[in-house]
Amino acid sequence: MTAPTRTTALALALAMILPVACSAQPSEPIAKPANAAAPLVTGLPDFTRLVQQVSPAVVSINAEITARPAQQMPNQEVPEIFRRFFGDQLPPGMFGNAPESRDRMPSARGVSMGTGFFVSRDGYLLTNAHVVNGAGKVTVKLADRREMPAKVVGADERSDVALLKVEGNDLPFLQLADSAGVKAGQWVVAIGSPFGLEQSVTAGVVSAVGRNTQFAENQYVPFIQTDVAINRGNSGGPLLNVAGQVVGINSQIFSNSGGYMGVSFAIPIDVAMNAAEQLRSTGRVARGQLGVRIQPLDADQLAALKLSKAQGALVADVEPGSAGAKAGLLPLDVITAVNGQQVGDAAALPAIIGGMRPGAQVRLDIIRDGKPRQLNATLSELVSPGERTGATNGATGSKGATAPSSGNRLGVIADDLPAGFRERNGIPSNQGVGVVRVLGQSAADAGLSGGDIVLMVGRENVASVAALNKALAAYGKGETVMVRVLSPRAGSRFVAITLD
């Protein structure tokens, strides 16, 4: 057989074999390729036109600081119980003694550098309050190298917004967007002066909206989170959408190094302008308040509260005589909406209420004992912590001097509080049982430890070991109960504990 003949015979043999081999495979593929679709992203944006148009309205700020407020509470002002627990070595973050991680540094004198931008033709501009806090002299430098003295019209630390004014007419200014329309995934641009490098441009996307940061004084701000590179000196600069409109004011970063690590936060421009307009007209910012202490919900608490999902803000305490008390709010209520606006979690509620003026009428959707209800409240004015009184400022306790009880169904060894302890530490007379030691795993998982104080079991106040045991007797073994606890680490809060 010639070579061509052998090749042909081999091909015929393979043709006879292949159909047999293929017949053992599925006749149709498990997943078919999708039809070709138009790409969702066609190319990276070019921000040059945007920068050329808006940069003249962005300024660098030099604030000569003559005095900074003390960052740590004097020892004599620290409540007695915290000194008893920690002595002079308070944990970081307690009473403001943590190292500051934003532009606001603890130096007594020096120059604070930041960024600002004009919002009107006649010289009003916005920046961060922490940029000009304690400043005796403020100078702004425009993109065309002109320098102008600026007056601080007012500053609001809770929103971290400051309103400044320079003398001038026909100044360049930026257009404002509706920050309520900002969505995750949108392109945004920042212009500022990081490390004094003026007119620096960075870009990225919105990572999330409605964020609450670790700083308690900013709990009334639903921050815009981005991945735009922000560093010291960017504070107070504009965050812009692709139309060149301001959607926020760059304010702070999360960082372990002090520099940018991929997470930055901006104050929504709607929140900033609300503060700025009040600063211009009255020199201060007034906010509404309910007068309640709230906490997040977790999965362990759902069964005890008869909830289907962990949505809303759990009311941990209601200040006597407050707007919330007058409206009928009770501890263990869950606030799910305000005037129809959903409260996704506890962090969302302060920003919603704080964005309203004192005297505003609000409708509260709540869940109480698993059933939906509606309450109407008239907001009072938010006051500074130093002006506030009532049970929400009570300190936490330590173990008493009497002989402690044996372990109970809560999984703790409890003790009656010593005489005079409640009065010294602001604890109501009908509440308070000291935790000496935690024995049960559920109590430990809930965060209880020696030195905490049990205030309530469910809706029932407990002021003695006997009252605690009586309240626990109303629940079955293995049942999950909400327990209100006071501690030096986390303040007053409800925890869910499964009974032994």
Side-chain angles (χ1 to χ4, degrees):
M1 183 180 292
T2 64
T5 303
R6 289 196 300 271
T7 303
T8 303
L10 180 59
L12 290 173
L14 290 174
M16 295 175 63
I17 295 172
L18 287 175
V20 176
C22 290
S23 65
Q25 302 300 319
S27 58
E28 293 288 338
I30 294 175
K32 294 182 178 180
N35 294 328
L40 298 178
V41 179
T42 58
L44 295 176
D46 184 344
F47 298 112
T48 54
R49 289 178 58 199
L50 183 154
V51 173
Q52 289 171 0
Q53 179 175 321
V54 304
S55 59
V58 181
V59 303
S60 299
I61 296 178
N62 279 11
E64 297 182 13
I65 307 303
T66 57
R68 289 286 195 189
Q71 295 294 318
Q72 183 169 351
M73 180 182 290
N75 190 55
Q76 64 269 20
E77 296 183 20
V78 178
E80 174 191 349
I81 190 59
F82 291 99
R83 293 200 303 271
R84 183 179 303 183
F85 280 174
F86 303 107
D88 294 330
Q89 303 300 315
L90 293 178
M94 184 173 290
F95 300 112
N97 69 323
E100 186 60 85
S101 64
R102 297 180 290 179
D103 288 1
R104 178 171 47 192
M105 298 297 288
S107 58
R109 294 178 182 273
V111 176
S112 174
M113 295 185 298
T115 306
F117 57 96
F118 288 109
V119 292
S120 72
R121 195 180 305 276
D122 59 347
Y124 283 98
L125 64 146
L126 295 180
T127 188
N128 286 148
H130 72 260
V131 171
V132 297
N133 184 24
K137 179 182 179 182
V138 178
T139 304
V140 301
K141 181 186 293 186
L142 281 65
D144 61 10
R145 316 307 296 171
R146 283 184 295 166
E147 293 189 5
M148 308 174 73
K151 173 186 176 183
V152 179
V153 178
D156 177 53
E157 291 190 8
R158 285 193 172 106
S159 63
D160 198 19
V161 171
L163 179 66
L164 278 59
K165 178 71 167 65
V166 301
E167 295 300 324
N169 295 301
D170 200 27
L171 291 166
F173 65 96
L174 298 182
Q175 299 294 326
L176 309 181
D178 180 1
S179 53
V182 176
K183 305 295 183 184
Q186 291 180 346
W187 282 102
V188 281
V189 177
I191 302 179
S193 304
F195 310 112
L197 301 172
E198 301 165 6
Q199 299 291 319
S200 295
V201 181
T202 52
V205 297
V206 174
S207 304
V209 295
R211 287 295 200 204
N212 181 39
T213 68
Q214 65 188 15
F215 300 104
E217 70 269 25
N218 295 149
Q219 64 179 310
Y220 304 100
V221 179
F223 284 96
I224 300 169
Q225 179 188 334
T226 78
D227 68 352
V228 179
I230 299 296
N231 284 287
R232 298 187 188 279
N234 275 112
S235 290
L239 184 71
L240 305 143
N241 61 21
V242 291
Q245 300 169 322
V246 183
V247 297
I249 303 178
N250 297 310
S251 175
Q252 55 188 254
I253 61 175
F254 276 173
S255 175
N256 292 326
S257 65
Y260 172 72
M261 294 184 67
V263 182
S264 54
F265 297 93
I267 304 158
I269 194 60
D270 294 356
V271 174
M273 288 306 297
N274 179 32
E277 289 167 0
Q278 293 190 62
L279 290 171
R280 181 179 180 180
S281 59
T282 66
R284 59 186 294 270
V285 178
R287 293 180 174 83
Q289 74 164 353
L290 277 173
V292 298
R293 186 191 298 273
I294 58 173
Q295 68 178 77
L297 287 164
D298 60 45
D300 294 335
Q301 298 169 344
L302 299 184
L305 293 169
K306 302 178 182 178
L307 298 174
S308 59
K309 56 183 178 179
Q311 178 180 338
L314 174 62
V315 177
D317 191 22
V318 182
E319 186 174 345
S322 66
K326 293 175 182 177
L329 279 172
L330 299 174
L332 290 182
D333 286 347
V334 178
I335 301 174
T336 58
V338 178
N339 289 344
Q341 181 178 352
Q342 296 298 311
V343 178
D345 54 28
L349 185 62
I352 294 173
I353 296 296
M356 301 178 181
R357 300 291 180 89
Q361 305 286 323
V362 298
R363 185 184 74 252
L364 305 174
D365 291 340
I366 70 168
I367 297 177
R368 179 179 294 171
D369 298 327
K371 299 178 181 178
R373 300 183 60 175
Q374 283 191 343
L375 301 175
N376 295 313
T378 301
L379 300 182
S380 57
E381 183 172 355
L382 179 68
V383 295
S384 66
E387 299 172 304
R388 188 177 301 166
T389 59
T392 57
N393 290 328
T396 61
S398 63
K399 63 184 181 178
T402 59
S405 68
S406 58
N408 56 28
R409 298 183 60 225
L410 198 61
V412 303
I413 296 177
D415 191 4
D416 292 336
L417 297 179
F421 184 87
R422 292 183 179 86
E423 183 178 357
R424 291 195 305 271
N425 294 285
I427 300 174
S429 60
N430 61 343
Q431 293 181 337
V433 180
V435 175
V436 177
R437 185 180 176 190
V438 176
L439 304 176
Q441 187 61 49
S442 181
D445 291 343
L448 265 68
S449 64
D452 289 348
I453 294 178
V454 177
L455 302 174
M456 301 174 69
V457 174
R459 298 187 185 277
E460 186 172 347
N461 295 320
V462 292
S464 66
V465 173
L468 174 63
N469 292 334
K470 181 179 178 182
L472 293 172
Y475 298 88
K477 182 178 180 179
E479 190 170 353
T480 301
V481 60
M482 295 296 288
V483 180
R484 187 178 171 214
V485 180
L486 202 57
S487 78
R489 303 166 307 284
S492 172
R493 71 197 193 284
F494 275 102
V495 297
I497 298 176
T498 301
L499 300 182
D500 295 337

